[in-house]
Amino acid sequence: AQSVTQLGSHVSVSEGALVLLRCNYSSSVPPYLFWYVQYPNQGLQLLLKYTTGATLVKGINGFEAEFKKSETSFHLTKPSAHMSDAAEYFCAVSDLGLTGGGNKLTFGTGTQLKVEL
Amino acid sequence: DAGVTQSPTHLIKTRGQHVTLRCSPISGHKSVSWYQQVLGQGPQFIFQYYEKEERGRGNFPDRFSARQFPNYSSELNVNALLLGDSALYLCASSLLGGRGQVNQPQHFGDGTRLSIL
């Protein structure tokens, strides 16, 4: 079974400050990891993904995440927050399908990011 | 190109009724997945279909069913609606959803907001 834990249901930062959203995963098979963003009344938009290869992954809108196997973490960062970054962020892990369950996504409970002036 | 489209956008039903939600994937995508997102939580996997066959099922009761059509569009059906079924229902499509093809990201629609009175 796979699971994701997002520490901090709400994070508040000042505009221009560093954004750090935490994600830890549990997986019995090599994980494929994703970050999605959800704006109000919208679906989920893919920010970035880790599959194989480079452990530092760059995504859209200046976000990046680093896969650390030893820490079972995949934290999301952005050097300088912008007001438009205010949204809910979800970390997700993918099932490889080896257990017969297709390639479903298992999501964390989300982190609401607030950006203040 | 059009993204994943879902209809209707909003729906109000009463307990005991039946509902059908519809999803059209991105052109060329053969895999469709359904997720339920209850307010304040991350999306929960319901079903995945690939090439019209069910490839995964989440921990949902038999009141939930789905199917995929030859044009790869999909329907999610929920019978005997309960108050707890009130949620945002998200559809996602991906280019490949076969066994082991997990490094293809899922693209989400804006969802159907279902309210049960």
Side-chain angles (χ1 to χ4, degrees):
Chain A
Q2 297 181 310
S3 65
V4 169
T5 301
Q6 291 184 241
L7 297 176
S9 58
H10 292 81
V11 170
S12 183
V13 300
S14 300
E15 191 173 34
L18 171 71
V19 175
L20 171 61
L21 304 183
R22 300 178 186 274
C23 172
N24 288 88
Y25 69 89
S26 173
S27 179
S28 58
V29 297
Y32 289 69
L33 296 159
F34 305 80
W35 276 98
Y36 283 85
V37 61
Q38 186 175 36
Y39 298 98
N41 300 314
Q42 293 187 25
L44 303 173
Q45 180 183 7
L46 180 68
L47 278 178
L48 49 78
K49 64 175 182 176
Y50 168 77
T51 54
T52 58
T55 56
L56 182 62
V57 180
K58 295 188 183 299
I60 62 172
N61 301 339
F63 285 94
E64 62 182 34
E66 187 171 10
F67 171 63
K68 292 186 177 181
K69 184 178 179 180
S70 61
E71 299 178 6
T72 62
S73 69
F74 190 57
H75 301 331
L76 181 71
T77 60
K78 182 174 180 178
S80 176
H82 191 272
M83 295 296 289
S84 62
D85 295 326
E88 188 148 26
Y89 292 79
F90 292 95
C91 181
V93 62
S94 181
D95 190 319
L96 285 176
L98 296 177
T99 58
N103 65 344
K104 69 178 183 180
L105 289 167
T106 299
F107 287 88
T109 52
T111 297
Q112 186 71 45
L113 175 65
K114 182 178 180 181
V115 182
E116 300 174 317
L117 287 172
Chain B
D1 285 341
V4 176
T5 57
Q6 293 186 243
S7 62
T9 55
H10 294 83
L11 201 52
I12 299 175
K13 292 284 189 178
T14 57
R15 283 177 294 174
Q17 284 189 313
H18 162 271
V19 68
T20 297
L21 310 181
R22 296 178 174 82
C23 171
S24 293
I26 292 172
S27 178
H29 286 193
K30 298 181 179 180
S31 173
V32 170
S33 299
W34 287 95
Y35 293 82
Q36 179 195 65
Q37 186 179 16
V38 174
L39 194 63
Q41 297 183 20
Q44 297 290 316
F45 173 74
I46 310 175
F47 288 108
Q48 183 184 39
Y49 278 77
Y50 175 64
E51 288 277 18
K52 294 167 285 182
E53 292 185 1
E54 182 182 302
R55 284 298 182 95
R57 171 185 285 256
N59 188 25
F60 280 81
D62 292 342
R63 299 185 296 108
F64 288 77
S65 64
R67 56 179 175 170
Q68 187 176 31
F69 297 99
N71 66 353
Y72 305 109
S73 66
S74 177
E75 285 183 353
L76 175 69
N77 295 283
V78 186
N79 293 324
L81 287 167
L82 303 174
L83 292 177
D85 295 331
S86 294
L88 179 67
Y89 287 85
L90 295 164
C91 175
S93 74
S94 59
L95 191 59
L96 292 173
R99 204 171 300 280
Q101 300 289 339
V102 294
N103 55 352
Q104 300 295 331
Q106 296 195 9
H107 300 264
F108 285 81
D110 285 340
T112 294
R113 175 76 61 188
L114 176 63
S115 299
I116 310 300
L117 302 180

